[in-house]
Amino acid sequence: MKIFRFVILFSFTLALTYVLNSKFENTPWQKVNQMPALGKFFNPFEGFWQNAESKKVSEKVDLQIPGLHDKVEVVIDDRMVPHIFAQNNHDLYMAQGYITARFRLWQMEFQTYAAAGKLSEILGAKYINYDRYQRRIGMLYAAEVAVKEMMANETSRVVVTAYSKGVNAYIQQLEPKDLPLEYKLLSYKPQPWSPLKTALLLKYMSKTLTMRSHELEMTNALQKHGKAVIDELFPNYPLRHDPIIPAGTKWNFKELKVPKQPTKYVPEDLHKQLIEKRLTEKQAVGVGSNNWAISGDRSATGYPILANDPHLKLNLPSIWFEVQLINPNVNVYGVSLPGTPCVAIGFNEQASWGVTNTAADVIDFYQINFKDSTLREYYYDDKWKTTTLRIDTIKVKNKPTVYDSIYFTHYGPVVLKPGEKHFYGTRGLTRPGLAMRWLAHDPSNELLAFYQLNRAKSYRDYTKALAGYACPAQNFVFADNQKNIAITSKGKFPVRWEEQGKFILDGSNPDHEWQGWIPNKYNPTIKNPERGFVSSANQFPVDTLYPYYLHWSYATYERGMRINEQLAQMKKATPDSLIALQNDNLNLRARDLLPEMLKHINVAQQKGLYKDVFDKIKAWDYQQVSKAVGPTVFRYWWRFLYRAIWEDNFPADSMMIYPKADKTGDLILLNDSIPSRWFDNVRTTQVKETLGDLVNSSFKQAVDSLKKYYGNKVTNWTWAKEKTTTLLHLARLKPFSVLNLPTNGGARIVNATTERTGPSWRMVVALGKRPKAYGIYPGGQSGNPGSFYYDNFIKDWQNGKLKRLIYMQSYKESGKRLKVRMTLNK
């Protein structure tokens, strides 16, 4: 009996050992080849248990970091922000790389896999099409070009090389038990860092901020409706707007050369697109950014105050890493992109700066006429030109390697080959046979610009730092202790004829190429305007007096106009004044349009629930806050009305877009004097609809839908139930995510917090003899889900509270908030 029991237990032990050390890659419950060998994962000596961290931290740490030229001192404060003190640039950026990797290694490397189109290596065959897409749009190519530029400049070469050495010094010290948790979950190990990986991250941000295009949709709309309709509904400049550079600004440009528009061109076969259904999501609204600076005349101290809150998709670990960098030549504080040296948004003892995206058009698509199916030659300037073939290798976890051929024209890559089926995001971006011209493929060195900006003490330094900045174009707001404020829409902008890039271009015609570059000194900029403030919210940079064509499609008017409305009223402002504006929840669109919509409601017909909802929305104060019902009702009502106006002529499932909300609002407000023909539904031939008809039918649809989702009790239809914010883990691991967080604000609100996007870093800097700065971002300094410091900032961020930032001058400073002293020895 004992022998029998021993055999059973021994057999069970062998089976359990096999199970716990196998990955079961082909089982139904292992869908994406991400399940680790469970024995290793649960191993108490090397598994996930080793990633648990205590809130309490050591007070003093000494580390050996081979490669340093001198000793580096690091102070870590109560928010886990490192303040790095070095004696030279090499050690400063090597220490930044080391410390950033110590907090965020997995995030840094995972994002380079995503940028380079290498996710299949670690996540399996499910990601092959994603990787193909990244390769086809030229992400690897763009990074390779960028790293050559960085390495060609002595300053940026020292910075990026030292940073890479620091990351690698940390990787080399890691033992299997110390690996970040995600490496253990996904069963792979970190690879050596290189300047190319830093370049990939910079280009990944360029993609996030510039990879938008409506050429397909606009070309289809042009072909269906004609130029007169395009001019009416998709104007090059909106009726109502408050541009970044104040309207009416005169430009003294000498020797100005603006190209004339060549012969119109629409590819003959584009009518096929009209019957093609849109299978990808239309671009989400609400992704944007705010920044502004007020002059000393408007502040309580007599010195400028600057504010910035870039709005991006919110993930965990956080997009940003907070850091202070100090050596004899620089003392800068702010946030960096993990994996890139320097500070991207921040301040030093004399100046501060922040950024918003310009939304300028730096991507065009060209119809290419290939000689034959080999794609070796294409027609350009009355002759055949040779393509460049690049064979990309896509390694796939536990599967055969995939090879992909990418053909480059002189414009750029052919993302989708003639006759090739759409995959991943290609349907929403391009169509077969188009070449992509994207500024991010051009040589540039943004790292050098940020290096110089970190050291800027004056307006002159600021302009010098930005002189070579190219892509992604940004609205750089600036303030200094000399009491200057300024804003510049800075980037490398192609010289275009009017509407060039609004539609697909002729790849055979040299006149359709970019006609050189707008000179740096002619970039839209203003210094110390009379109104006493500068600001941007992704809106049009300039009015029609600016002689160069930049783009036709920018953010709608609401955020920019609301910010300027509030800044114009500020007197003796403090940082709290600017923090309050960052948290402003007024829905300007509702304030402008809701009274007109309510005017058209047939009140006598509203009974029961409909009357209750009508009374509720009529009493709404336009504040888009969690406890309010008004935001929910307005969202549904506006969606149904917007759809009712445009769906008959611009079907949502076609490759077209609706006219902008700005234009729609204009038609509604002008209805009494100029009733628009677009309110008539052309699908109904028996009756001609009016705005009143659409307002009443869409109101009923909204109420019926809300009743279906939330029941009969109107007080339950709160914004908190309708809109919550999710911070999703980068690998989409829900246990490591923060889900359904109630937040105020929303798309097109100054507090632009939506379901997946929002203020990724809120910063306010009051300049003076010593800067006083405040900041917060959603997440925490640590990238380890097992750490208290992984998400400890979220509650304050949710409530719109900014923390006072500790701006150190000396390593010897002391204080209750300074928790850890770390020495990095050479």
Side-chain angles (χ1 to χ4, degrees), residues 785-798:
S787 170
F788 168 82
Y789 300 99
Y790 176 72
D791 58 4
N792 60 306
F793 295 169
I794 289 179
K795 185 174 182 181
D796 284 334
W797 176 85
Q798 178 189 15

Side-chain angles (χ1 to χ4, degrees), residues 398-413:
N398 301 321
K399 298 288 183 181
T401 296
V402 173
Y403 299 94
D404 191 30
S405 57
I406 308 175
Y407 291 87
F408 281 78
T409 67
H410 74 285
Y411 297 109

Side-chain angles (χ1 to χ4, degrees), residues 702-733:
V703 175
D704 290 345
S705 293
L706 287 165
K707 176 184 175 182
K708 177 182 177 182
Y709 290 128
Y710 299 117
N712 289 318
K713 196 172 181 180
V714 179
T715 53
N716 285 340
W717 300 359
T718 61
W719 191 234
K721 289 191 175 181
E722 167 64 16
K723 193 272 296 184
T724 58
T725 299
T726 289
L727 285 72
L728 196 61
H729 184 268
L730 280 172
R732 300 183 179 275
L733 301 172

